[in-house]
Amino acid sequence: MSSRTELSNFLAGIERRAFKQAMFAIRNEETALDIVQDAMMRLAEKYGNRPGAEWPMLFQRILQNAIRDCYRRSKVRSLWTTLLSSLSPNENDDTDPLETFAGENESAALAPPHQQLERSQLLGIIEKEIEKLPPRQREAFLMRYWEEMNIAETAAVMGCTEGSVKTHCSRATHTLAAALRAKGIEL
C-alpha cells in the first residue's frame, strides 16, 4: 500500500513541471494535458512496482516519447490536412493561442504585489524564450535545469551521448542569456 502512496505523491509532485514541459513542446493545452496524463498512466501501469528512485528517469523517458509520438501524429495529420485542404481552398485555419502559466510557490505568494507581478512577468518572458529554443535544446535544458537530472540521466532519457547533452544545454543557456540580455534582463 505504501508503494501506491509513494507513487501518488511522486506523480503529484511532478505534475505541474511535466505539464509545462509538454506545453513548451506541443503548444496546445489540451494535448499537453493528455500527454502528461498518458505518461502518468503508463508509469503507474508498467513501472509502478519499480523502486521509487527509478521513477524520475522512467517518467521523463515516457513523457519525451509521448511528446515525440504526438509530433509524429501531427506531422501525418498535417500532411493529410494539407492534401485535403488543397481540394477546398476557401477553408479558414483557426488555431488556439498559446497560453502560458506562471507558477508560484508559497514564498512568492507571500511577497508584496509588485514583486509578485515582476516575478510573474519575468517568468512569462523566460517561458516564451524557452519555447523558442529548438526542440532538442529545450528538452535537454528542461531536464538538466528544471528536472535537475544529471548529464548521464538526461542522455539516457534523450537517447544521445553525454557530449550531446552538454552541447544542447550550453547552446540553450547561451541563447536564453542573450535573449534576456537583449530585453535588458540580467539574472
Side-chain angles (χ1 to χ4, degrees), residues 52-107:
E54 294 180 15
W55 292 337
M57 277 192 54
L58 288 168
F59 181 76
Q60 281 301 316
R61 185 63 167 196
I62 292 167
L63 181 64
Q64 295 307 321
N65 286 340
I67 290 170
R68 283 190 203 100
D69 289 346
C70 183
Y71 277 136
R72 288 184 198 114
R73 283 191 305 274
S74 70
K75 188 182 273 188
V76 169
R77 243 184 257 122
S78 175
L79 172 67
W80 284 105
T81 304
T82 303
L83 292 173
L84 294 174
S85 67
S86 66
L87 299 174
S88 56
N90 295 333
E91 233 177 279
N92 291 332
D93 183 26
D94 294 330
T95 56
D96 292 332
L98 175 65
E99 295 179 9
T100 57
F101 301 99
E104 293 184 4
N105 59 26
E106 296 81 28
S107 64

Side-chain angles (χ1 to χ4, degrees), residues 8-76:
S8 179
N9 290 340
F10 169 75
L11 293 174
I14 61 164
E15 178 180 24
R16 186 177 190 92
R17 292 189 320 261
F19 173 71
K20 286 276 199 178
Q21 277 187 293
M23 273 294 288
F24 287 141
I26 303 300
R27 298 186 174 137
N28 180 291
E29 183 178 346
E30 291 82 17
T31 306
L33 286 170
D34 288 344
I35 287 172
V36 172
Q37 182 179 13
D38 289 345
M40 289 179 162
M41 291 297 294
R42 285 186 193 143
L43 180 73
E45 290 171 357
K46 297 183 182 199
Y47 304 103
N49 57 351
R50 295 271 185 102
E54 294 180 15
W55 292 337
M57 277 192 54
L58 288 168
F59 181 76
Q60 281 301 316
R61 185 63 167 196
I62 292 167
L63 181 64
Q64 295 307 321
N65 286 340
I67 290 170
R68 283 190 203 100
D69 289 346
C70 183
Y71 277 136
R72 288 184 198 114
R73 283 191 305 274
S74 70
K75 188 182 273 188
V76 169

Side-chain angles (χ1 to χ4, degrees), residues 102-109 111-126:
E104 293 184 4
N105 59 26
E106 296 81 28
S107 64
H114 73 280
Q115 287 180 349
Q116 288 181 16
L117 176 64
E118 288 173 2
R119 182 176 185 275
S120 132
Q121 289 172 340
L122 178 61
L123 285 174
I125 292 168
I126 292 171

Side-chain angles (χ1 to χ4, degrees), residues 106-168:
E106 296 81 28
S107 64
L110 300 175
H114 73 280
Q115 287 180 349
Q116 288 181 16
L117 176 64
E118 288 173 2
R119 182 176 185 275
S120 132
Q121 289 172 340
L122 178 61
L123 285 174
I125 292 168
I126 292 171
E127 286 176 357
K128 287 190 185 311
E129 293 303 324
I130 289 173
E131 290 169 2
K132 294 177 186 176
L133 291 172
R136 295 293 276 178
Q137 286 181 22
R138 182 176 53 241
E139 184 179 357
F141 178 83
L142 291 173
M143 280 191 255
R144 287 281 294 129
Y145 302 112
W146 193 348
E147 295 299 326
E148 298 177 354
M149 297 173 86
N150 66 34
I151 293 171
E153 292 170 335
T154 304
V157 170
M158 291 179 66
C160 64
T161 66
E162 291 182 17
S164 293
V165 170
K166 291 176 185 178
T167 300
H168 290 311

